[in-house]
Amino acid sequence: MSTEKKKPTLLVLAAGMGSRYGGLKQMEGFGPCGETIIDYSVYDAARAGFGKVVFVIREDFAEDFREKISDKYRSRIEVRTVFQGLDKLPEGFTLHPERKKPLGTGHAVWCASQELDGPFAVINADDFYGPSSFRLMADYLSHLDDSSLAEQMMVGYKLTNTLSENGTVSRGVCEINPEDQTLRSITERTKIYATPRGVVYLENEVEYPLSGKEIVSMNMMGFTSAAVKHFDLGLREFLQENSQELKKEFYLPSVLNGLVQKGLSRVKVLPTEEQWYGVTYPEDRQGVVEAIDRMVKVGIYPSPLW
Protein backbone atom coordinates (compact mmCIF):
# COMPACT_ATOMS: atom_id res chain seq x y z
CA MET A 1 0.00 0.00 0.00
CA SER A 2 1.28 3.47 -0.89
CA THR A 3 2.24 5.71 2.03
CA GLU A 4 2.51 8.83 -0.12
CA LYS A 5 0.87 11.75 1.60
CA LYS A 6 -1.86 13.73 -0.10
CA LYS A 7 -0.84 17.15 -1.38
CA PRO A 8 -2.56 19.94 0.50
CA THR A 9 -5.54 21.82 -0.94
CA LEU A 10 -5.73 25.60 -1.14
CA LEU A 11 -9.18 26.93 -0.22
CA VAL A 12 -9.70 30.46 -1.57
CA LEU A 13 -12.51 32.50 -0.02
CA ALA A 14 -13.80 34.62 -2.91
CA ALA A 15 -17.51 35.07 -2.21
CA GLY A 16 -17.38 38.49 -0.54
CA MET A 17 -18.20 41.70 -2.34
CA GLY A 18 -15.69 44.38 -1.36
CA SER A 19 -18.15 46.86 0.14
CA ARG A 20 -15.61 49.43 1.34
CA TYR A 21 -13.48 49.01 -1.77
CA GLY A 22 -16.47 49.44 -4.05
CA GLY A 23 -16.32 46.43 -6.36
CA LEU A 24 -15.18 42.90 -7.00
CA LYS A 25 -11.50 43.05 -6.07
CA GLN A 26 -11.17 39.38 -6.97
CA MET A 27 -11.41 40.13 -10.70
CA GLU A 28 -9.39 43.34 -10.90
CA GLY A 29 -5.95 43.39 -12.48
CA PHE A 30 -2.98 44.43 -10.33
CA GLY A 31 -0.03 42.85 -12.17
CA PRO A 32 1.83 44.30 -15.18
CA CYS A 33 -0.21 42.16 -17.59
CA GLY A 34 -3.52 42.47 -15.74
CA GLU A 35 -2.91 39.62 -13.30
CA THR A 36 -5.29 39.44 -10.33
CA ILE A 37 -4.22 38.91 -6.74
CA ILE A 38 -5.76 35.43 -6.99
CA ASP A 39 -3.43 34.70 -9.94
CA TYR A 40 -0.41 35.32 -7.74
CA SER A 41 -1.80 33.26 -4.87
CA VAL A 42 -2.49 30.26 -7.11
CA TYR A 43 0.92 30.63 -8.75
CA ASP A 44 2.64 30.71 -5.35
CA ALA A 45 0.58 27.77 -4.09
CA ALA A 46 1.28 25.59 -7.13
CA ARG A 47 5.04 26.09 -6.94
CA ALA A 48 4.97 25.56 -3.16
CA GLY A 49 3.43 22.07 -3.60
CA PHE A 50 -0.34 22.44 -3.26
CA GLY A 51 -2.20 19.90 -5.39
CA LYS A 52 -5.68 21.40 -5.67
CA VAL A 53 -7.37 24.79 -5.40
CA VAL A 54 -11.00 25.18 -4.32
CA PHE A 55 -12.74 28.51 -4.83
CA VAL A 56 -15.69 29.54 -2.66
CA ILE A 57 -17.71 32.03 -4.69
CA ARG A 58 -21.23 33.35 -5.04
CA GLU A 59 -23.37 31.71 -7.66
CA ASP A 60 -24.40 35.03 -9.21
CA PHE A 61 -20.92 35.72 -10.60
CA ALA A 62 -19.90 32.10 -11.27
CA GLU A 63 -19.76 32.40 -15.06
CA ASP A 64 -17.61 35.54 -15.02
CA PHE A 65 -15.34 34.07 -12.37
CA ARG A 66 -14.69 30.88 -14.31
CA GLU A 67 -14.12 32.75 -17.56
CA LYS A 68 -11.80 35.42 -16.15
CA ILE A 69 -10.14 33.59 -13.27
CA SER A 70 -10.35 29.88 -12.65
CA ASP A 71 -10.32 28.37 -16.16
CA LYS A 72 -6.75 29.55 -16.78
CA TYR A 73 -5.40 27.32 -13.99
CA ARG A 74 -6.89 24.01 -15.07
CA SER A 75 -3.82 22.84 -16.99
CA ARG A 76 -1.58 23.62 -14.01
CA ILE A 77 -3.50 22.52 -10.91
CA GLU A 78 -6.75 20.72 -10.08
CA VAL A 79 -9.56 23.28 -9.72
CA ARG A 80 -12.92 23.04 -7.96
CA THR A 81 -15.62 25.65 -7.34
CA VAL A 82 -18.27 25.70 -4.61
CA PHE A 83 -20.96 28.24 -3.83
CA GLN A 84 -21.56 30.19 -0.64
CA GLY A 85 -25.02 31.64 -0.11
CA LEU A 86 -27.61 32.27 2.56
CA ASP A 87 -29.49 29.20 1.34
CA LYS A 88 -26.53 26.93 2.20
CA LEU A 89 -27.28 25.84 5.77
CA PRO A 90 -27.25 22.72 7.92
CA GLU A 91 -30.56 20.92 7.85
CA GLY A 92 -33.17 22.36 10.20
CA PHE A 93 -31.90 25.96 10.25
CA THR A 94 -33.39 29.06 8.66
CA LEU A 95 -32.25 32.69 8.67
CA HIS A 96 -34.12 35.92 9.24
CA PRO A 97 -35.92 36.63 5.94
CA GLU A 98 -34.47 40.14 5.77
CA ARG A 99 -30.85 39.07 6.17
CA LYS A 100 -28.60 40.13 3.27
CA LYS A 101 -25.12 39.97 4.81
CA PRO A 102 -23.09 36.78 4.17
CA LEU A 103 -22.61 34.42 7.11
CA GLY A 104 -18.85 34.81 7.24
CA THR A 105 -15.57 33.04 6.59
CA GLY A 106 -16.31 30.05 8.83
CA HIS A 107 -19.50 29.43 6.86
CA ALA A 108 -17.48 29.64 3.62
CA VAL A 109 -15.24 26.80 4.79
CA TRP A 110 -18.32 24.80 5.79
CA CYS A 111 -19.73 25.25 2.27
CA ALA A 112 -16.56 23.66 0.84
CA SER A 113 -16.41 20.73 3.26
CA GLN A 114 -17.11 18.08 0.59
CA GLU A 115 -13.91 19.07 -1.21
CA LEU A 116 -11.72 18.98 1.90
CA ASP A 117 -10.55 15.37 1.97
CA GLY A 118 -6.98 16.07 3.03
CA PRO A 119 -4.89 18.79 4.66
CA PHE A 120 -5.95 22.25 3.52
CA ALA A 121 -5.01 25.89 3.81
CA VAL A 122 -7.46 28.79 3.80
CA ILE A 123 -6.78 32.25 2.35
CA ASN A 124 -8.74 35.34 1.38
CA ALA A 125 -9.02 35.95 -2.36
CA ASP A 126 -8.21 39.64 -2.11
CA ASP A 127 -5.12 39.36 0.12
CA PHE A 128 -1.55 39.17 -1.22
CA TYR A 129 0.36 36.91 1.15
CA GLY A 130 3.79 36.54 -0.47
CA PRO A 131 5.55 33.43 -1.81
CA SER A 132 7.43 32.37 1.32
CA SER A 133 4.18 32.20 3.30
CA PHE A 134 2.80 29.58 0.91
CA ARG A 135 6.02 27.56 1.24
CA LEU A 136 5.77 27.68 5.03
CA MET A 137 2.17 26.48 4.85
CA ALA A 138 2.74 23.69 2.32
CA ASP A 139 5.84 22.34 4.07
CA TYR A 140 4.16 22.24 7.46
CA LEU A 141 0.87 20.76 6.27
CA SER A 142 2.70 18.00 4.41
CA HIS A 143 4.15 16.74 7.70
CA LEU A 144 0.93 16.70 9.74
CA ASP A 145 -1.08 13.55 10.46
CA ASP A 146 -4.21 14.34 8.47
CA SER A 147 -6.36 11.95 10.51
CA SER A 148 -5.48 13.74 13.76
CA LEU A 149 -7.04 16.81 15.35
CA ALA A 150 -4.02 17.28 17.59
CA GLU A 151 -2.29 19.98 15.56
CA GLN A 152 -3.45 22.73 13.21
CA MET A 153 -1.49 25.79 12.09
CA MET A 154 -1.55 29.36 10.88
CA VAL A 155 0.85 31.85 9.35
CA GLY A 156 1.27 34.92 11.54
CA TYR A 157 2.07 38.39 10.22
CA LYS A 158 3.65 41.28 12.11
CA LEU A 159 0.91 43.85 12.65
CA THR A 160 2.91 46.73 11.15
CA ASN A 161 3.27 44.69 7.93
CA THR A 162 -0.52 44.58 7.48
CA LEU A 163 -1.78 48.15 8.00
CA SER A 164 -3.43 50.44 5.46
CA GLU A 165 -2.41 54.06 5.11
CA ASN A 166 -5.95 54.89 4.05
CA GLY A 167 -8.17 53.85 6.94
CA THR A 168 -8.75 51.48 9.81
CA VAL A 169 -8.36 47.69 9.55
CA SER A 170 -9.68 44.72 11.49
CA ARG A 171 -7.17 42.15 12.68
CA GLY A 172 -7.16 39.01 14.78
CA VAL A 173 -4.44 39.73 17.36
CA CYS A 174 -2.78 36.53 18.53
CA GLU A 175 -1.61 35.61 22.00
CA ILE A 176 1.14 33.03 21.60
CA ASN A 177 2.70 30.56 24.04
CA PRO A 178 6.40 31.56 23.95
CA GLU A 179 7.76 28.13 24.85
CA ASP A 180 6.42 26.33 21.76
CA GLN A 181 5.00 29.07 19.50
CA THR A 182 1.47 27.74 19.71
CA LEU A 183 -1.67 29.84 19.75
CA ARG A 184 -3.25 30.71 23.08
CA SER A 185 -6.09 32.87 21.71
CA ILE A 186 -7.15 35.26 18.94
CA THR A 187 -8.81 38.57 19.81
CA GLU A 188 -10.59 40.49 17.05
CA ARG A 189 -9.73 44.20 17.00
CA THR A 190 -11.89 46.02 14.51
CA LYS A 191 -10.48 49.56 14.25
CA ILE A 192 -6.67 49.49 14.09
CA TYR A 193 -4.66 52.31 12.58
CA ALA A 194 -1.30 54.09 12.81
CA THR A 195 -0.95 57.49 14.47
CA PRO A 196 2.09 59.74 14.94
CA ARG A 197 2.27 58.27 18.47
CA GLY A 198 2.20 54.65 17.26
CA VAL A 199 -0.33 51.96 16.39
CA VAL A 200 -3.65 51.98 18.27
CA TYR A 201 -7.03 50.36 18.18
CA LEU A 202 -10.27 52.19 18.87
CA GLU A 203 -12.91 50.78 21.18
CA ASN A 204 -15.87 52.76 22.54
CA GLU A 205 -14.24 55.92 21.19
CA VAL A 206 -11.10 55.31 23.28
CA GLU A 207 -7.66 54.71 21.70
CA TYR A 208 -5.64 51.82 23.15
CA PRO A 209 -1.94 51.46 22.25
CA LEU A 210 -0.39 48.51 20.42
CA SER A 211 3.31 47.89 19.87
CA GLY A 212 2.95 47.08 16.18
CA LYS A 213 4.99 43.92 16.73
CA GLU A 214 1.95 41.83 17.62
CA ILE A 215 1.42 38.73 15.50
CA VAL A 216 -1.91 38.89 13.70
CA SER A 217 -4.01 36.43 11.76
CA MET A 218 -4.67 37.29 8.13
CA ASN A 219 -6.90 34.25 7.66
CA MET A 220 -4.00 32.19 6.29
CA MET A 221 -4.65 29.05 8.26
CA GLY A 222 -3.97 25.36 7.82
CA PHE A 223 -6.06 22.39 8.94
CA THR A 224 -6.13 18.64 8.80
CA SER A 225 -9.30 17.15 7.37
CA ALA A 226 -10.10 15.96 10.90
CA ALA A 227 -11.00 19.57 11.69
CA VAL A 228 -13.73 19.80 9.03
CA LYS A 229 -16.44 18.43 11.30
CA HIS A 230 -15.70 21.22 13.78
CA PHE A 231 -16.71 23.82 11.21
CA ASP A 232 -20.06 22.02 11.08
CA LEU A 233 -20.35 21.91 14.87
CA GLY A 234 -19.30 25.55 15.16
CA LEU A 235 -21.76 26.71 12.52
CA ARG A 236 -24.61 24.86 14.22
CA GLU A 237 -23.73 26.45 17.56
CA PHE A 238 -23.57 29.87 15.90
CA LEU A 239 -26.95 29.44 14.21
CA GLN A 240 -28.62 28.23 17.39
CA GLU A 241 -27.83 31.61 18.94
CA ASN A 242 -27.76 33.93 15.93
CA SER A 243 -29.95 32.60 13.13
CA GLN A 244 -32.30 35.60 13.40
CA GLU A 245 -29.54 38.20 13.55
CA LEU A 246 -29.09 40.42 10.49
CA LYS A 247 -25.35 41.08 10.68
CA LYS A 248 -23.50 38.70 13.00
CA GLU A 249 -21.01 36.43 11.21
CA PHE A 250 -19.45 33.04 11.85
CA TYR A 251 -15.73 33.78 11.61
CA LEU A 252 -12.97 31.36 10.65
CA PRO A 253 -10.71 32.38 13.60
CA SER A 254 -13.50 31.48 16.04
CA VAL A 255 -13.21 27.83 14.97
CA LEU A 256 -9.46 27.84 15.52
CA ASN A 257 -9.91 29.65 18.83
CA GLY A 258 -12.53 27.10 19.88
CA LEU A 259 -10.27 24.13 19.15
CA VAL A 260 -7.62 25.70 21.36
CA GLN A 261 -9.95 26.67 24.21
CA LYS A 262 -11.49 23.18 24.30
CA GLY A 263 -8.05 21.58 24.42
CA LEU A 264 -8.66 19.68 21.18
CA SER A 265 -5.82 21.15 19.11
CA ARG A 266 -2.49 22.84 19.37
CA VAL A 267 -2.19 25.55 16.74
CA LYS A 268 1.35 26.17 15.59
CA VAL A 269 1.98 29.79 14.63
CA LEU A 270 4.53 30.13 11.84
CA PRO A 271 5.77 33.75 11.74
CA THR A 272 6.50 35.32 8.37
CA GLU A 273 8.43 38.45 7.53
CA GLU A 274 6.40 38.90 4.36
CA GLN A 275 4.70 42.23 3.79
CA TRP A 276 0.98 41.61 3.42
CA TYR A 277 -0.77 43.68 0.75
CA GLY A 278 -4.49 44.27 0.62
CA VAL A 279 -7.06 46.48 -1.02
CA THR A 280 -9.41 47.41 1.78
CA TYR A 281 -9.89 50.89 0.32
CA PRO A 282 -9.71 52.17 -3.28
CA GLU A 283 -6.67 54.26 -2.36
CA ASP A 284 -4.76 51.06 -1.46
CA ARG A 285 -4.76 49.90 -5.07
CA GLN A 286 -1.75 51.83 -6.31
CA GLY A 287 0.47 50.57 -3.49
CA VAL A 288 -0.33 46.96 -4.39
CA VAL A 289 0.35 47.60 -8.09
CA GLU A 290 3.73 49.16 -7.27
CA ALA A 291 4.69 46.33 -4.89
CA ILE A 292 3.94 43.64 -7.47
CA ASP A 293 5.84 45.60 -10.10
CA ARG A 294 8.90 45.67 -7.82
CA MET A 295 8.68 41.90 -7.30
CA VAL A 296 8.45 41.30 -11.04
CA LYS A 297 11.50 43.50 -11.68
CA VAL A 298 13.67 41.55 -9.21
CA GLY A 299 12.59 38.19 -10.65
CA ILE A 300 10.24 36.90 -7.96
CA TYR A 301 7.50 36.57 -10.58
CA PRO A 302 7.59 36.25 -14.36
CA SER A 303 5.61 38.62 -16.56
CA PRO A 304 3.22 37.59 -17.89
CA LEU A 305 2.57 35.26 -14.96
CA TRP A 306 0.70 32.51 -16.88
Side-chain angles (χ1 to χ4, degrees):
M1 180 169 29
S2 173
T3 58
E4 184 179 352
K5 290 203 170 186
K6 192 175 183 68
K7 287 185 176 182
T9 291
L10 181 68
L11 181 61
V12 182
L13 308 185
M17 175 75 83
S19 58
R20 284 182 293 182
Y21 182 75
L24 281 177
K25 294 174 281 186
Q26 296 90 338
M27 297 188 193
E28 185 166 346
F30 290 86
C33 296
E35 294 90 348
T36 64
I37 288 179
I38 294 175
D39 287 336
Y40 288 100
S41 292
V42 174
Y43 182 88
D44 284 336
R47 65 176 173 174
F50 285 83
K52 179 170 75 170
V53 58
V54 178
F55 294 105
V56 183
I57 65 173
R58 292 201 320 273
E59 196 165 0
D60 62 297
F61 64 82
E63 186 174 343
D64 278 351
F65 189 87
R66 289 178 180 134
E67 180 182 325
K68 296 176 182 177
I69 304 289
S70 60
D71 278 354
K72 75 182 77 166
Y73 313 134
R74 294 187 186 278
S75 64
R76 297 170 174 86
I77 192 170
E78 184 181 353
V79 176
R80 295 284 188 272
T81 301
V82 299
F83 299 135
Q84 180 182 13
L86 296 178
D87 59 330
K88 310 291 185 183
L89 297 171
E91 188 174 354
F93 288 96
T94 58
L95 299 177
H96 192 290
E98 294 182 11
R99 181 168 182 129
K100 304 290 188 218
K101 191 175 181 65
L103 278 171
T105 52
H107 176 244
V109 177
W110 179 87
C111 290
S113 57
Q114 294 299 313
E115 295 289 347
L116 304 177
D117 55 355
F120 65 98
V122 185
I123 65 168
N124 295 330
D126 49 5
D127 290 354
F128 189 99
Y129 292 97
S132 67
S133 296
F134 286 93
R135 291 194 296 270
L136 278 173
M137 182 75 79
D139 290 346
Y140 203 85
L141 284 174
S142 67
H143 291 94
L144 290 182
D145 177 2
D146 188 55
S147 65
S148 173
L149 196 62
E151 190 164 341
Q152 317 299 326
M153 55 85 63
M154 59 168 282
V155 174
Y157 285 73
K158 191 182 299 182
L159 176 59
T160 52
N161 287 344
T162 73
L163 299 178
S164 170
E165 296 179 353
N166 300 300
T168 65
V169 298
S170 299
R171 297 289 179 258
V173 180
C174 302
E175 186 179 357
I176 298 171
N177 296 310
E179 64 275 9
D180 59 2
Q181 291 300 295
T182 58
L183 183 68
R184 188 174 294 165
S185 66
I186 300 176
T187 302
E188 284 290 323
R189 301 295 184 199
T190 56
K191 294 182 179 179
I192 302 175
Y193 52 97
T195 75
R197 304 176 305 283
V199 181
V200 301
Y201 70 91
L202 190 68
E203 189 173 297
N204 297 323
E205 305 304 318
V206 177
E207 288 185 346
Y208 295 90
L210 294 164
S211 72
K213 297 179 181 179
E214 291 85 358
I215 296 297
V216 297
S217 164
M218 301 305 296
N219 272 5
M220 191 179 203
M221 301 179 179
F223 299 88
T224 62
S225 62
V228 172
K229 68 178 182 181
H230 289 273
F231 283 90
D232 182 65
L233 293 171
L235 179 59
R236 290 171 185 273
E237 290 176 3
F238 171 85
L239 290 171
Q240 283 170 0
E241 295 183 7
N242 302 292
S243 64
Q244 299 308 299
E245 294 283 343
L246 296 180
K247 293 186 176 181
K248 285 190 178 179
E249 295 182 52
F250 175 49
Y251 290 114
L252 170 61
S254 70
V255 178
L256 208 61
N257 216 10
L259 290 172
V260 172
Q261 300 305 321
K262 294 173 184 175
L264 298 173
S265 297
R266 297 166 66 252
V267 178
K268 188 74 171 181
V269 180
L270 304 181
T272 181
E273 291 299 318
E274 288 277 10
Q275 176 76 39
W276 171 93
Y277 295 99
V279 282
T280 305
Y281 303 96
E283 297 82 1
D284 293 331
R285 184 185 190 282
Q286 188 57 33
V288 180
V289 170
E290 292 172 359
I292 291 174
D293 189 58
R294 288 193 297 271
M295 286 183 266
V296 169
K297 286 178 177 175
V298 299
I300 295 174
Y301 296 108
S303 181
L305 187 62
W306 299 101

